Amino acid sequence: MAVELDGGSHMEPRQVKKDQRRNNAALRAGLLPLRYYYDYYDDVVHHPGRMVAQVLTVLRLREAGAFASARHSRFLPDPD
Protein backbone atom coordinates (compact mmCIF):
# COMPACT_ATOMS: atom_id res chain seq x y z
CA MET A 1 0.00 0.00 0.00
CA ALA A 2 1.14 3.54 -0.73
CA VAL A 3 -0.46 6.35 1.28
CA GLU A 4 0.09 9.81 -0.16
CA LEU A 5 -0.66 13.08 1.58
CA ASP A 6 -1.19 15.85 -0.96
CA GLY A 7 -1.14 19.62 -0.57
CA GLY A 8 -2.68 22.33 -2.73
CA SER A 9 -0.23 21.94 -5.60
CA HIS A 10 -1.72 18.53 -6.34
CA MET A 11 -4.83 20.21 -7.75
CA GLU A 12 -2.82 21.79 -10.58
CA PRO A 13 -3.31 19.97 -13.93
CA ARG A 14 0.40 19.25 -14.36
CA GLN A 15 0.67 17.71 -10.89
CA VAL A 16 -2.55 15.72 -11.38
CA LYS A 17 -0.94 14.04 -14.39
CA LYS A 18 2.19 13.24 -12.38
CA ASP A 19 0.04 11.81 -9.58
CA GLN A 20 -1.87 9.64 -12.07
CA ARG A 21 1.39 8.28 -13.46
CA ARG A 22 2.60 7.57 -9.92
CA ASN A 23 -0.69 5.80 -9.09
CA ASN A 24 -0.37 3.67 -12.22
CA ALA A 25 3.24 2.78 -11.37
CA ALA A 26 2.20 1.84 -7.82
CA LEU A 27 -0.55 -0.43 -9.15
CA ARG A 28 1.84 -2.09 -11.60
CA ALA A 29 4.16 -2.74 -8.64
CA GLY A 30 1.32 -4.42 -6.73
CA LEU A 31 0.66 -1.49 -4.39
CA LEU A 32 -2.67 0.10 -3.61
CA PRO A 33 -2.30 3.89 -3.72
CA LEU A 34 -4.48 5.84 -1.28
CA ARG A 35 -4.43 9.61 -1.58
CA TYR A 36 -5.43 12.04 1.15
CA TYR A 37 -5.42 15.83 1.08
CA TYR A 38 -3.80 18.16 3.53
CA ASP A 39 -5.02 21.55 2.27
CA TYR A 40 -8.39 21.35 0.54
CA TYR A 41 -10.25 18.55 2.27
CA ASP A 42 -8.27 18.57 5.51
CA ASP A 43 -8.29 14.77 5.77
CA VAL A 44 -5.02 14.85 7.67
CA VAL A 45 -5.69 17.80 9.95
CA HIS A 46 -9.38 17.52 10.78
CA HIS A 47 -10.19 13.84 10.25
CA PRO A 48 -7.06 11.79 11.01
CA GLY A 49 -9.05 9.05 12.74
CA ARG A 50 -11.28 8.60 9.69
CA MET A 51 -8.21 8.52 7.44
CA VAL A 52 -6.50 5.85 9.58
CA ALA A 53 -9.74 3.81 9.73
CA GLN A 54 -9.92 3.85 5.93
CA VAL A 55 -6.31 2.71 5.60
CA LEU A 56 -6.91 -0.13 8.09
CA THR A 57 -10.06 -1.17 6.20
CA VAL A 58 -8.14 -1.41 2.94
CA LEU A 59 -5.39 -3.42 4.64
CA ARG A 60 -7.97 -5.86 6.06
CA LEU A 61 -9.69 -6.19 2.68
CA ARG A 62 -6.38 -6.80 0.96
CA GLU A 63 -5.46 -9.44 3.53
CA ALA A 64 -8.82 -11.11 2.83
CA GLY A 65 -8.03 -11.16 -0.92
CA ALA A 66 -10.38 -8.39 -2.05
CA PHE A 67 -7.73 -6.80 -4.28
CA ALA A 68 -6.40 -9.98 -5.87
CA SER A 69 -6.78 -10.52 -9.58
CA ALA A 70 -10.18 -11.79 -10.72
CA ARG A 71 -8.77 -15.30 -11.20
CA HIS A 72 -7.54 -15.52 -7.63
CA SER A 73 -10.14 -13.55 -5.69
CA ARG A 74 -12.65 -15.49 -3.65
CA PHE A 75 -15.02 -12.49 -3.86
CA LEU A 76 -15.49 -12.77 -7.62
CA PRO A 77 -17.04 -15.65 -9.61
CA ASP A 78 -14.81 -17.88 -11.74
CA PRO A 79 -14.58 -16.55 -15.34
CA ASP A 80 -15.75 -19.83 -16.99
Side-chain angles (χ1 to χ4, degrees):
M1 175 183 299
V3 177
E4 293 211 25
L5 307 175
D6 295 338
S9 67
H10 289 265
M11 297 301 207
E12 297 172 12
R14 193 168 166 185
Q15 186 62 43
V16 169
K17 287 180 183 181
K18 284 176 73 175
D19 290 342
Q20 288 173 337
R21 285 192 295 271
R22 189 172 23 255
N23 283 354
N24 290 347
L27 287 167
R28 285 191 308 271
L31 300 172
L32 295 171
L34 295 179
R35 194 170 290 281
Y36 293 94
Y37 296 94
Y38 190 84
D39 290 347
Y40 288 99
Y41 301 107
D42 296 319
D43 293 324
V44 177
V45 175
H46 296 292
H47 305 288
R50 183 169 54 195
M51 184 184 73
V52 170
Q54 290 173 5
V55 169
L56 292 174
T57 296
V58 171
L59 286 172
R60 281 192 293 275
L61 287 169
R62 183 167 189 160
E63 189 175 89
F67 298 106
S69 68
R71 262 185 5 183
H72 298 100
S73 177
R74 55 191 159 124
F75 296 105
L76 298 173
D78 286 331
D80 285 75

